[in-house]
Amino acid sequence: MTTAPTAARPARKDLIKAFVASLSGTSLEWYDFAAYSVASALVFGQLFFPDHDPLSGTLLAFSTYAVGYVSRPLGGFVFGRLGDTLGRKRVLVITLLITGISTVFIGLLPTYGQVGALGAVLLVVLRFAQGVGIGGEWGGAVLLSSEFGSEKHRGFWASAAQIGPPAGNLLANGALAALAATLTSAQFMSWGWRVAFLLSAVLVIFGLWIRVKLEETPVFQELQQKGEQTSTPVTEVFTREPRALISAILCRVGPDVTYALFTVFVLTYVTQTLGMPKSWAVTGVMTGSALQLFLMPLAGAVSDRLGRRRVYAIGAAGALVWPFLFFPMIEGGSAGTLMLGVIVGLILHALMYGPQAAFVAEQFSPALRSTGASLAYTLAGVIGGALAPLLFTALYAHYGTWVAPASYLAATCVVTMIGLALSPTAARAASR
């Protein structure tokens, strides 16, 4: 077993800068992803796949959504490896640019009515690039904040990367909701949705400013000084630490699918099946995301005291049961009940996602952490988040009942619990 280098404890201002750098980057990445998710549910089916009925068009739009997950392993392999060989900071500047530029270009895309199928092809290409950037971002962002902090508080500091999804989701949904509220339906469909994607340029500039000024992590600096870096981190993760990789992959599946149900599929289900205004679901998602801004670091901090797996497992157990209560309770058509159901779903997601960054990072030795964490994150995304919106929609279309998507989510939560059970012991994880 490889023990962590004993790097000098950084100044608190450097720790805060690392926290902000990690948070700002992942917030941008997830702003981009969330804007795409909402647009897939609400407008892309009509703009890029207009020859199909509404449900089929949504399925095709969600297929392009899945491309962003399928391409993540490429980013994980390439940038995870570079994070262990060149450093965490350099990689995070590159991934920020890839995702940000891709998102701006999506906002400039011509639609099917303007260039035919070429618009859909370009959409898929840019979605692929987004996924590559995200795939390389998460592992480095987790280490950027956690390797500046002490091991005793790793759950809290590592949660900076985890706050990115709710922060980005909140910003994206807020921007799209504001546009939808101030523009007519024709204006929103014509050009309003583009503004949300073009706004990501502002976040790119801010994220770059923070990251360029930051020093490399103390842990990586000490690895360099001691010559403990490896030139083959991908190979070594698979040969030396396969159990850690399997555990980290499986534990991530349930949270990804939970998040997809309560932030993506719910938008389609309540509007197309229950006939509710889309603003109700969007408000619930935004409120739940706002709460997650505080719940993520809180769950991470609690995991520092109670243990990662215990907090994680509580969230997984709750997410397993909740959809079987959620779907029946929203069939009455109440705005308050819908919002409450979405918020509770996102609270359960926060209990899993808050400790996740520290949990995954702790499974791997320091010299392989960037590669191991990136591979686990991206490979799990393919079998979890990538297929989730598509499968939720397809299962409901085939069976005609909410029980099918609810059962699918429950099964993925069982997979997560298996991953937690397979993880190295708490003592071994804490010693790294």
Side-chain angles (χ1 to χ4, degrees):
M1 179 181 68
T2 307
T3 58
T6 55
R9 187 172 183 176
R12 187 168 182 81
K13 66 175 183 178
D14 293 326
L15 184 55
I16 294 173
K17 284 169 58 179
F19 189 93
V20 174
S22 178
L23 171 59
S24 62
T26 53
S27 294
L28 166 66
E29 308 278 2
W30 279 96
Y31 172 89
D32 298 345
F33 242 60
Y36 195 103
S37 300
V38 176
S40 294
L42 301 180
V43 301
F44 282 171
Q46 300 175 57
L47 294 177
F48 294 95
F49 310 99
D51 290 342
H52 302 272
D53 64 82
L55 182 58
S56 297
T58 301
L59 282 169
L60 289 170
F62 280 160
S63 295
T64 64
Y65 173 89
V67 167
Y69 280 90
V70 174
S71 61
R72 285 186 184 187
L74 176 60
F77 273 91
V78 174
F79 295 111
R81 178 185 181 281
L82 292 177
D84 281 326
T85 56
L86 297 181
R88 325 307 195 199
K89 173 185 170 180
R90 293 182 186 179
V91 166
L92 291 176
V93 171
I94 298 171
T95 58
L96 189 71
L97 286 171
I98 291 174
T99 307
I101 292 173
S102 299
T103 304
V104 170
F105 282 171
I106 288 175
L108 300 173
L109 274 181
T111 64
Y112 184 94
Q114 296 170 315
V115 296
L118 178 61
V121 172
L122 293 175
L123 182 66
V124 172
V125 170
L126 292 173
R127 180 61 172 175
F128 186 92
Q130 272 190 328
V132 171
I134 287 261
E137 165 74 21
W138 189 81
V142 166
L143 301 188
L144 188 65
S145 54
S146 65
E147 290 186 348
F148 268 94
S150 67
E151 292 184 1
K152 291 182 179 180
H153 304 289
R154 181 178 289 155
F156 172 76
W157 292 110
S159 70
Q162 307 303 84
I163 302 173
N169 198 21
L170 187 63
L171 290 170
N173 277 283
L176 287 165
L179 289 166
T182 56
L183 302 176
T184 66
S185 296
Q187 290 173 327
F188 182 78
M189 291 296 295
S190 175
W191 57 267
W193 64 271
R194 298 180 183 275
V195 176
F197 290 89
L198 298 177
L199 284 174
S200 68
V202 178
L203 298 176
V204 171
I205 294 171
F206 176 75
L208 285 175
W209 176 68
I210 293 290
R211 290 187 173 186
V212 168
K213 296 177 65 175
L214 191 67
E215 296 292 330
E216 184 56 79
T217 71
V219 171
F220 185 79
Q221 289 185 47
E222 190 147 343
L223 285 171
Q224 286 182 308
Q225 294 169 4
K226 294 183 176 181
E228 295 180 355
Q229 296 164 268
T230 173
S231 60
T232 58
V234 175
T235 300
E236 292 190 35
V237 166
F238 281 101
T239 57
R240 289 174 46 195
E241 303 183 0
R243 177 170 178 170
L245 181 61
I246 293 172
S247 170
I249 290 173
L250 295 183
C251 81
R252 278 196 23 81
V253 176
D256 270 9
V257 176
T258 301
Y259 194 72
L261 188 146
F262 290 105
T263 62
V264 182
F265 177 70
V266 68
L267 299 177
T268 301
Y269 182 79
V270 301
T271 55
Q272 295 187 11
T273 302
L274 301 182
M276 296 182 184
K278 61 186 178 184
S279 61
W280 291 3
V282 170
T283 301
V285 171
M286 291 177 64
T287 304
S289 296
L291 287 174
Q292 284 191 322
L293 296 178
F294 305 97
L295 290 173
M296 295 290 191
L298 177 61
V302 171
S303 77
D304 286 326
R305 293 180 174 272
L306 301 183
R308 316 276 184 243
R309 283 181 290 185
R310 182 176 299 174
V311 177
Y312 212 130
I314 291 172
L320 186 155
V321 174
W322 185 241
F324 295 97
L325 302 175
F326 170 72
F327 284 105
M329 67 187 278
I330 65 174
E331 288 183 351
S334 165
T337 303
L338 171 62
M339 293 177 195
L340 175 62
V342 171
I343 290 170
V344 171
L346 292 178
I347 289 174
L348 294 170
H349 172 261
L351 291 177
M352 295 184 281
Y353 208 68
Q356 184 184 99
F359 178 83
V360 170
E362 287 171 342
Q363 308 311 304
F364 304 96
S365 54
L368 301 177
R369 270 188 192 151
S370 177
T371 301
S374 296
L375 289 178
Y377 179 76
T378 56
L379 292 175
V382 173
I383 61 177
L387 300 177
L390 184 63
L391 285 178
F392 282 139
T393 306
L395 285 169
Y396 183 78
H398 181 73
Y399 292 101
T401 174
W402 59 263
V403 175
S407 298
Y408 166 52
L409 173 55
T412 63
C413 289
V414 172
V415 170
T416 286
M417 292 180 181
I418 293 173
L420 294 173
L422 287 175
S423 69
T425 64
R428 179 182 175 189
S431 68
R432 291 181 168 182

